[in-house]
Amino acid sequence: MRLVAFVEYRVAQQGTAYVLRSSRCASERPKTPHNGNSHARKEQPALSELQRPRRPRPTPETGRTPQGPVRKSSGARLDSWVQQQVAEMAGDASPDIAHNLQVTSAAMELLSGCVQVCNHHGYDADVQEPGQNQVDLLQLAKQLADVPARQPITNVLEGRTLQRRQIMKVLSYLDRWGHSNKALKAFEWMQSYSGDRHAFDTQDTFLYTRLMTMFSRRSSDCSQALRIFDSMQSRGIKPDLVAYNTAINAAGKAGDWERTVQIYEALQDSDLKADVWTFTSLINACQSCGSDWKSGLEVFQDMEEQGVVPNVHAYTSLISLCQRAGQWRKAMQIFRRMEAADIKVDVVAYNSAIAACAKGGDWEQAWAVFSSMRREGVQPNTVSYNSLLSACERCGQAERALEVFSMMEKEAGPTFGYTGSSLVTYNTLISACGKAGMYDQVQRMFREMQERGIRGDVFTMCGIITACEKVGLWHEAQEVMQRLQDDGVQPNTAAYNALIKALGTGGQWEAAVRVFETMQSCAADEPECSCTPDLVTYSSIISACQKSLQWQKALDVYEGMRAAHVQPNAYVFSSLIAACEDSNEWEHALAIFSDMKASNIELDAVTMAGRKLVYMFPGVLSAVPGPLVNAAKIAVKSGRAARQWISPS
């Protein structure tokens, strides 16, 4: 075993050819007395710690690798290569060595270990058994890929004989080319082949698991992965732990929590023991199936109770589950616990922690996590920077966001695209600068992303329009929407709401109403459109009418809001009452006030007290002298400042 470890080390460091050359040179050197204390054998790393070895490069003159197989062949023919190397060693050895059984045995062990390591690291890509018909697997996969969807594949596979390793290779080719459905079709044909029952060796767990993996990448295909899992069991093939984990992952992605639990219970009833990947898939299923975040904590606790040590992937899944559920503080507690467990945190885990801080609006803690990542030598990627930018944007830290962007740009070159600006980067920056009223920065960012060939989307549209609204540039807001629409960007409800608010702030209530009517027309023509008016829409248009003293139009919008079954909030009622009061329409104001009370909606204490005083005796208002009415209006307006912090959403 020590000799095999030596082979593994050499293969990992120099490749197989180096090992064979070294073994030959060692056999040609004269023997010297060995003293066990003369030197200590350096312990070599275990196989699991090795990196994938590099194949020897071919020489340009011969096309062959040194002491290796011909590079023009589709794979390394290790069986013939080993025979050739043994023959060369025997021919080059001196008579003394050739007759030394111990040395010859050691040489054979060396070559055997070399072959084992090469097999482990993928050097046996196209090895075939002696006497087996040579099959060009790549050409066969191309023929299957070229078969039209509705045409049978009988002509391609009829008369062939494929072992399970060859079938696996063909399926892998098809999957790599994006023909997973044809891979499944070919496999099912082999299963149902009525000719020689030994022609296609499909009774193998690994083949089924490979197919399940193909259909587990997208949630829309996961139902097919589960059908493959059921087919495997119906044919008497016993799933292994990897197959169970793949099925649990597929059921979770499909959003079928009941099936997920069913597969997990079947795993428990078998003679297999769940591992860390089983529980990680269950935690991910809690997230994709919409289960409560507490269910994920229970799964994590069960994992520890069963003696399974969580790894960084299990922790990261739980952190992501908690932060998406709005439990960002719990997510950070789990992250700190992972650090205390002396687990090497990867970039995905750091990104999840930064995203949790952003969700909670704690940009300082997000920055601290980012700094910790740099100290630990983990290279941030684009997602890392975007998450930190999001934290700054949510907290109104536009200057900090620009600082993060500057750091990101400096690392874009040295990391060769691992860190670089994306559409999400620019959208977050535009939003941060727009909310802070930094219109010049917004323009600069928009020009820069266009120069880099990054096309804007509806989030870009919303960010720029919001920036225009902050500085009162309602006309520019209209131009931005029109320009992006010409580029193929379809505005949604949020974009229209931002434009209505910009127009209302600029006193353009008529233009705001036209935008509102456009939204209503679109919603009527296409019920599934993405621009249906919502609470923010009605709040913005009523506010625009109130600022322009258009109380009648505001009441019309209010009636349409009730007809659309959109429940008004405190901001809507406050704007409606203010619109009526500003035009001395006290009776309408009283009616709106009564509707508000009937809806069990309360304003702040000062505003409510003033209005209750004015509307306590509504019939007296018409008989009260004008100066007293004006005094009452002043009392009502004394609480108007509350509207500055009442959220329209």
Side-chain angles (χ1 to χ4, degrees):
M1 294 303 295
R2 295 176 63 86
L3 184 57
V4 173
F6 170 76
V7 173
E8 293 170 353
Y9 175 73
R10 284 304 189 185
V11 169
Q13 298 296 324
Q14 303 291 344
T16 56
Y18 180 89
V19 176
L20 295 174
R21 290 198 305 273
S22 299
S23 64
R24 290 179 57 189
C25 294
S27 66
E28 294 171 1
R29 288 196 296 267
K31 294 187 292 182
T32 58
H34 174 70
N35 184 358
N37 298 325
S38 61
H39 65 273
R41 177 185 292 273
K42 184 177 180 181
E43 186 176 356
Q44 307 300 339
L47 181 62
S48 59
E49 300 173 355
L50 299 178
Q51 298 178 350
R52 185 180 181 89
R54 297 181 179 178
R55 295 176 184 267
R57 295 185 177 181
T59 59
E61 294 80 13
T62 63
R64 294 176 177 267
T65 61
Q67 299 292 331
V70 179
R71 292 291 290 177
K72 295 179 181 180
S73 63
S74 59
R77 310 293 183 186
L78 290 176
D79 49 356
S80 59
W81 184 24
V82 169
Q83 296 174 10
Q84 177 184 356
Q85 298 301 324
V86 171
E88 291 183 4
M89 290 180 65
D92 295 341
S94 64
D96 292 338
I97 297 179
H99 290 85
N100 189 321
L101 181 60
Q102 184 178 0
V103 175
T104 305
S105 176
M108 291 301 295
E109 183 182 353
L110 176 66
L111 289 174
S112 176
C114 180
V115 173
Q116 292 177 25
V117 176
C118 290
N119 288 341
H120 178 79
H121 288 284
Y123 282 95
D124 61 337
D126 293 326
V127 178
Q128 300 183 23
E129 299 297 332
Q132 181 180 334
N133 293 331
Q134 300 295 314
V135 179
D136 191 340
L137 302 179
L138 180 62
Q139 185 63 30
L140 175 60
K142 289 180 179 179
Q143 293 176 3
L144 290 171
D146 293 338
V147 175
R150 298 181 180 275
Q151 183 174 331
I153 59 177
T154 305
N155 295 335
V156 179
L157 295 175
E158 184 74 42
R160 295 184 181 272
T161 300
L162 297 177
Q163 300 300 317
R164 56 187 178 183
R165 291 180 61 192
Q166 295 175 306
I167 297 174
M168 178 76 77
K169 194 70 175 180
V170 172
L171 298 180
S172 298
Y173 279 133
L174 292 172
D175 180 43
R176 189 184 308 168
W177 301 333
H179 297 297
S180 55
N181 288 325
K182 289 186 177 180
L184 178 60
K185 183 178 180 181
F187 183 77
E188 291 176 342
W189 187 93
M190 297 177 196
Q191 281 182 317
S192 59
Y193 182 61
S194 58
D196 184 4
R197 62 187 183 91
H198 298 293
F200 302 102
D201 185 8
T202 59
Q203 295 294 104
D204 183 71
T205 305
F206 295 104
L207 289 175
Y208 282 93
T209 304
R210 183 70 178 88
L211 285 168
M212 290 166 58
T213 303
M214 292 182 191
F215 291 93
S216 298
R217 299 191 183 104
R218 295 179 298 184
S219 58
S220 58
D221 295 336
C222 286
S223 58
Q224 182 63 61
L226 294 175
R227 284 193 288 270
I228 296 171
F229 181 70
D230 294 336
S231 174
M232 173 174 61
Q233 293 177 299
S234 65
R235 291 179 176 271
I237 301 176
K238 188 177 181 180
D240 59 6
L241 183 57
V242 179
Y244 274 114
N245 289 347
T246 306
I248 291 173
N249 181 55
K253 283 187 176 181
D256 192 344
W257 177 250
E258 183 177 351
R259 184 67 193 279
T260 303
V261 174
Q262 177 186 355
I263 297 172
Y264 175 64
E265 291 176 348
L267 169 61
Q268 289 181 310
D269 294 337
S270 68
D271 56 354
L272 300 172
K273 182 181 179 181
D275 63 359
V276 66
W277 301 110
T278 310
F279 291 102
T280 301
S281 298
L282 287 171
I283 295 173
N284 291 332
C286 291
Q287 180 173 309
S288 55
C289 295
S291 300
D292 188 75
W293 59 275
K294 294 181 180 179
S295 301
L297 291 177
E298 292 175 358
V299 171
F300 194 85
Q301 184 177 356
D302 290 343
M303 173 175 57
E304 294 182 310
E305 290 177 353
Q306 295 185 28
V308 178
V309 179
N311 60 10
V312 64
H313 302 284
Y315 275 108
T316 303
S317 297
L318 188 58
I319 292 170
S320 178
L321 172 63
C322 291
Q323 74 95 357
R324 290 178 182 272
Q327 300 295 323
W328 73 276
R329 295 187 186 277
K330 175 63 69 175
M332 290 308 300
Q333 290 177 6
I334 298 167
F335 177 75
R336 298 304 180 193
R337 179 182 172 186
M338 175 175 58
E339 288 184 315
D342 199 24
I343 292 177
K344 186 171 180 58
V345 186
D346 61 8
V347 66
V348 180
Y350 278 115
N351 291 347
S352 298
I354 296 173
C357 296
K359 197 77 171 284
D362 192 343
W363 71 272
E364 292 177 327
Q365 189 168 183
W367 198 286
V369 174
F370 183 83
S371 300
S372 175
M373 172 172 33
R374 301 298 296 267
R375 286 195 305 270
E376 294 297 326
V378 178
Q379 173 62 47
N381 59 12
T382 301
V383 177
S384 310
Y385 280 102
N386 286 346
S387 299
L388 187 56
L389 284 172
S390 178
C392 297
E393 184 267 340
R394 285 174 178 266
C395 300
Q397 298 290 326
E399 295 292 344
R400 285 285 187 178
L402 291 172
E403 181 180 347
V404 174
F405 179 69
S406 177
M407 294 166 52
M408 186 178 189
E409 289 290 277
K410 290 179 181 178
E411 290 196 2
T415 57
F416 301 100
Y418 185 73
T419 299
S421 305
S422 64
L423 177 60
V424 176
T425 306
Y426 283 105
N427 285 346
T428 307
L429 279 170
I430 289 173
S431 178
C433 296
K435 291 178 180 179
M438 303 168 65
Y439 183 69
D440 292 340
Q441 289 288 353
V442 171
Q443 285 185 311
R444 182 177 72 85
M445 292 297 168
F446 186 54
R447 286 196 303 269
E448 187 174 305
M449 64 181 291
Q450 288 181 315
E451 291 171 357
R452 295 187 176 186
I454 302 176
R455 297 186 59 183
D457 60 3
V458 69
F459 296 100
T460 315
M461 179 185 291
C462 291
I464 300 176
I465 293 175
T466 299
C468 296
E469 181 263 328
K470 290 294 183 181
V471 294
L473 299 177
W474 59 269
H475 189 268
E476 283 76 1
Q478 288 181 310
E479 291 180 347
V480 167
M481 176 169 280
Q482 186 59 52
R483 187 191 317 167
L484 288 175
Q485 281 185 294
D486 293 341
D487 292 340
V489 179
Q490 294 298 322
N492 59 6
T493 299
Y496 279 120
N497 290 347
L499 181 58
I500 290 173
K501 188 175 182 181
L503 294 171
T505 302
Q508 304 297 315
W509 71 272
E510 292 177 322
V513 169
R514 286 195 293 270
V515 174
F516 175 67
E517 291 173 347
T518 300
M519 294 179 68
Q520 289 180 310
S521 175
C522 176
D525 296 340
E526 301 178 19
E528 300 299 328
C529 74
S530 59
C531 56
T532 303
D534 60 4
L535 177 59
V536 179
T537 311
Y538 287 103
S539 301
S540 300
I541 195 67
I542 290 174
S543 177
C545 294
Q546 178 260 322
K547 291 176 182 178
S548 300
L549 302 179
Q550 300 295 321
W551 64 273
Q552 290 177 317
K553 187 62 179 178
L555 291 180
D556 291 342
V557 174
Y558 172 65
E559 293 300 327
M561 181 181 187
R562 294 173 66 91
H565 304 289
V566 178
Q567 179 62 39
N569 61 0
Y571 184 86
V572 171
F573 282 117
S574 179
S575 298
L576 286 168
I577 293 173
C580 295
E581 290 172 351
D582 291 342
S583 300
N584 293 327
E585 295 294 332
W586 295 94
E587 292 184 0
H588 291 94
L590 176 60
I592 298 299
F593 185 81
S594 300
D595 288 349
M596 182 182 67
K597 294 295 294 180
S599 301
N600 295 321
I601 295 178
E602 296 284 343
L603 301 181
D604 68 287
V606 177
T607 306
M608 286 297 298
R611 286 198 164 95
K612 284 182 178 179
L613 179 64
V614 172
Y615 299 132
M616 185 178 298
F617 305 102
V620 182
L621 285 174
S622 58
V624 174
L628 292 179
V629 173
N630 291 333
K633 291 171 63 178
I634 293 174
V636 170
K637 291 183 178 181
S638 63
R640 193 70 55 79
R643 286 180 5 198
Q644 295 180 359
W645 55 266
I646 296 177
S647 173
S649 58

